[in-house]
Amino acid sequence: MAKETFYFQHDYNARNDDKMLELRATYGAEGYGVFWMIVETMAENENGGAKAGLIGGLSLGYGVAKEWLILFFKYCVDIGLFYEEEGCYYSRRLLTHKQFRKVLSENGAAGAAKRWRGYSHPNAKERKGKENKAVSIENNEFAVFSDGSKQPLGTSQLFRLKQEDLQPKDILKGEII
């Protein structure tokens, strides 16, 4: 099974941020690396935080002592890199990014639903019987079939249509290319 990986934005000059300079002055490069491991952990969690009660497991995963990590979290809260609420540590910057990604995802899903307008793509390998070819093209967006059904044109089909190289008979039902 493939491991899911996600991307989160961070400024390429984050190391020079005033708070990060304070962190690096106190904890050095090790602290800088642990900070980003914590942010990655927060990003992996649905709520965007790290539970204070699970610091022992995090310390094991990060290869640092539990007591060191407890002090590190407290320091990050003190200088404003994290905040603590209801037994979890959070990064405001990361929560803003996660909310942005959620909005993008919702907008993408809405756009896809609008584009496909309820069309359900059949599995072409399981298609049985005679191929159903389009009889017309409606609004340069949809292929219309003899049974009255419609399907949106795919990217390649739209390109061919613009080049005047696409005829309705070239479009098969269930084939969107």
Side-chain angles (χ1 to χ4, degrees):
M1 181 176 181
K3 181 180 177 184
E4 290 187 19
T5 58
F6 299 96
Y7 162 80
F8 67 90
Q9 291 178 321
H10 81 279
D11 300 328
Y12 61 86
N13 64 345
R15 70 190 181 287
N16 294 322
D17 174 79
D18 291 342
K19 294 173 187 175
M20 293 303 285
L21 289 172
E22 282 297 315
L23 178 91
R24 290 174 46 215
T26 303
Y27 286 94
E30 179 184 26
Y32 187 69
V34 169
F35 170 82
W36 285 112
M37 285 191 278
I38 292 169
V39 171
E40 289 173 358
T41 300
M42 290 174 171
E44 291 168 348
N45 292 331
E46 191 170 324
N47 73 347
K51 291 185 179 179
L54 300 179
I55 289 181
L58 295 178
S59 70
L60 183 64
Y62 301 162
V64 297
K66 180 178 178 179
E67 296 74 24
W68 185 94
L69 192 57
I70 290 169
L71 293 173
F72 185 82
F73 268 106
K74 289 185 185 308
Y75 184 79
C76 288
V77 168
D78 290 345
I79 64 172
L81 287 171
F82 299 146
Y83 70 96
E84 187 176 5
E85 184 176 283
E86 298 180 9
C88 285
Y89 292 101
Y90 298 96
S91 162
R92 285 183 174 80
R93 173 74 166 82
L94 179 64
L95 291 176
T96 299
H97 174 74
K98 285 182 71 93
Q99 181 60 35
F100 173 72
R101 295 295 302 168
K102 181 180 178 184
V103 169
L104 284 181
S105 178
E106 290 168 353
N107 289 344
K114 182 178 177 183
R115 172 172 166 58
W116 295 104
R117 292 185 180 97
Y119 173 74
S120 177
H121 189 292
N123 186 341
K125 292 179 183 176
E126 294 180 15
R127 189 180 328 147
K128 297 177 182 176
K130 182 180 170 186
E131 291 180 338
N132 193 352
K133 295 183 179 182
V135 293
S136 66
I137 298 174
E138 183 179 283
N139 298 329
N140 290 337
E141 287 185 61
F142 297 95
V144 180
F145 298 90
S146 59
D147 63 0
S149 64
K150 298 178 186 178
Q151 80 181 27
L153 298 177
T155 307
S156 298
Q157 293 165 332
L158 289 170
F159 177 78
R160 286 185 58 200
L161 186 63
K162 287 180 185 173
Q163 302 298 317
E164 298 179 3
D165 182 39
L166 180 69
Q167 301 298 317
K169 65 180 174 58
D170 297 332
I171 304 170
L172 300 177
K173 191 171 192 173
E175 183 179 81
I176 301 172
I177 55 171

